[in-house]
Amino acid sequence: MSIAIEPGAGAPVVTVPQAGAIKVTMILSGAVFMLMMVFGLIMRAAQGQWIELDPALFYQILTAHGAGMVGTAALSGAAILWYFSGRHVVLTVGIFWAFLGLFLVGVVLILGAIFVGGFGGAWTFLFPLPALSGGAWEAEAAAAFMLGYVAIGVGFLLYYLELGRQIHARYGSLVRALGWNLILGREDDNPPPPTIVAAAAVTIFNSIGIILGAAVLVASLVHLLVPGFEVNALLAKNLIYFFGHVFINASIYMAVTAVYEILPEYTGRPWKSNRVFALAWNAVLIFVMAVYWHHLLQDVVMPPWMLVVGQLVSYFSGIPLIAVTAFSTFLYVRGSKMTWDLTSSLLVLSVAGWSVGSIPASIDGMISVNKVMHNTMWVPGHFHTYLLLGEVAMAFGFMAWLVRGKTISEMGTLDQAAFGTYLAGAAGFVAVFLFSGAASIPRRWAVHYEQWLTHDRIGTLFGVLVVLATLVFVVRFVVGLGRNDG
């Protein structure tokens, strides 16, 4: 059970942790992660000319893979944040089920748009591409795709409204929940724990991102129905990339609460909020919204000051992560004599992978590098590092913890093999992307030249390892749930 304290009450009250809803969500997340990885493997094998794939189908799979991985990362991150926030505030389970229902409605619309309607415009729905397909898909398919995004966005707004409402009720304001009493050195007899600081920050910046994303989605939908309706293409691109960058980063910032809540069980050291921690998360709140400009460095019509800010913030945005979460994880683990099971191994890997992923991202945020590297495999290299070795590893670590049982024991042979296979496969997979980017191999090409096939085929082999390890993680989770429930 989880413990929460009612506003104004002096004694703790027992609340339901909503584990059933979370377990269902993580089963869905694991299955979709698996499917999206298979999609990625198919695309790499097609680029390596090991299988034949019609280019139109390639771009449909690319669209499903991008939207699916981003969406599932956000879904699993939301489940993790909801679960651990429930230890500190009382959350309404009906809101989570409504969120999950709207998310699934969105998934059906998106998959229908892609594999029935033929939509292949990538996850960004970049204006005015949905309306100018050159005959590859009809307007109805583009509309269904964007309506799917709207349904998911509405679900997330419900989720954040409930989370923000309960945090406000429990701590008096989101400002206090962000740790401003700690920052200002004021007395606070009940400072917000790390999970609540993270929840407050994510609630603010991802709500803003989703609202702006919804605005451009609605404008694009109106343009589809009424072609004479004018939309400023540069403004639309800014809103799309703001929404997309904030949304995918939010998935990691939600999932990292698993590190804050679970690792203390292994180290015996509680993870507490302090002034530095609060300052770091307030910096994240600003940086995650300002850094998206580095996606637009090639748009020469952008105001120069925005591009300069985008480059500078790209440098600084990794500091809160490395200085607080990564460094704190190192200190918590160092000398703790913790037991290394699948949960602890995946969670520590996730922080390391997230930190390492910030390096190629910062390099790409340099204007001089970006103008020659942004449309190469370098970019999928850095965000696959964030995902495979970061957020997805956090999600799998959380799943392993849910079925771990009360006793912490060393990893068995199968867990060791699965973890080692996942680490080797994911590290090799992203390294091939980065080396391919350094070799100027372009991204998003369905057909590759012969000179690029060695990179593609090595990447495919590493991808096989990732899929095999993921299969073990997901099956292990489902079997563990059945055993625990029985």
Side-chain angles (χ1 to χ4, degrees), residues 229-361:
F229 179 76
E230 295 290 336
V231 177
N232 184 290
L234 184 61
L235 175 61
K237 185 174 182 179
N238 272 266
L239 292 176
I240 289 167
Y241 276 98
F242 179 87
F243 154 71
H245 185 91
V246 168
F247 192 79
I248 188 58
N249 275 272
S251 68
I252 307 174
Y253 288 121
M254 291 188 290
V256 76
T257 53
V259 176
Y260 298 154
E261 296 277 346
I262 295 174
L263 279 188
E265 296 181 12
Y266 290 82
T267 64
R269 303 169 178 172
W271 201 310
K272 297 180 179 180
S273 299
N274 54 35
R275 177 178 289 177
V276 174
F277 184 89
L279 281 169
W281 269 98
N282 280 268
V284 165
L285 176 59
I286 302 300
F287 285 164
V288 78
M289 293 190 288
V291 77
Y292 90 95
W293 280 320
H294 72 209
H295 290 281
L296 305 175
L297 294 177
Q298 298 190 32
D299 290 342
V300 294
V301 295
M302 284 285 291
W305 70 268
M306 287 188 174
L307 303 184
V308 172
V309 170
Q311 177 166 319
L312 292 175
V313 176
S314 294
Y315 294 153
F316 297 132
S317 61
I319 294 175
L321 160 66
I322 295 172
V324 179
T325 300
F327 185 65
S328 297
T329 300
F330 171 75
L331 291 180
Y332 273 75
V333 171
R334 181 174 176 269
S336 66
K337 298 181 180 180
M338 63 185 287
T339 300
W340 290 96
D341 65 357
L342 187 59
T343 295
S344 59
S345 299
L346 283 168
L347 291 179
V348 172
L349 170 64
S350 71
V351 176
W354 186 18
S355 303
V356 170
S358 68
I359 298 172

Side-chain angles (χ1 to χ4, degrees), residues 69-150:
M69 282 301 290
V70 170
T72 309
L75 178 65
S76 59
I80 293 169
L81 180 62
W82 186 272
Y83 184 93
F84 289 120
S85 294
R87 289 180 166 183
H88 309 286
V89 297
V90 181
L91 297 169
T92 305
V93 68
I95 297 295
F96 189 86
W97 284 116
F99 153 72
L100 183 59
L102 284 165
F103 189 95
L104 294 176
V105 168
V107 169
V108 170
L109 286 168
I110 290 169
L111 291 178
I114 295 170
F115 294 113
V116 178
F119 183 79
W123 74 267
T124 53
F125 59 93
L126 195 60
F127 181 87
L129 179 59
L132 301 174
S133 69
W137 60 80
E138 299 297 330
E140 290 80 5
F145 185 85
M146 289 187 282
L147 283 171
Y149 270 24
V150 170

Side-chain angles (χ1 to χ4, degrees), residues 24 174-175 177 179 200 237 243 306 315 364 379 398 408 420 427 441 473:
V24 169
L174 289 178
V175 171
K237 185 174 182 179
F243 154 71
M306 287 188 174
Y315 294 153
D364 186 58
V379 171
F398 175 67
I408 303 175
I441 298 176
F473 294 154

Side-chain angles (χ1 to χ4, degrees), residues 18-54:
Q18 304 178 16
I22 301 304
K23 289 175 181 177
V24 169
T25 304
M26 296 311 296
I27 290 173
L28 292 171
S29 297
V32 179
F33 274 141
M34 184 76 194
L35 177 61
M36 293 303 107
M37 289 176 181
V38 170
F39 280 178
L41 187 60
I42 290 171
M43 288 188 290
R44 293 300 274 152
Q47 289 173 330
Q49 296 182 15
W50 274 347
I51 63 173
E52 291 187 13
L53 194 66
D54 180 81

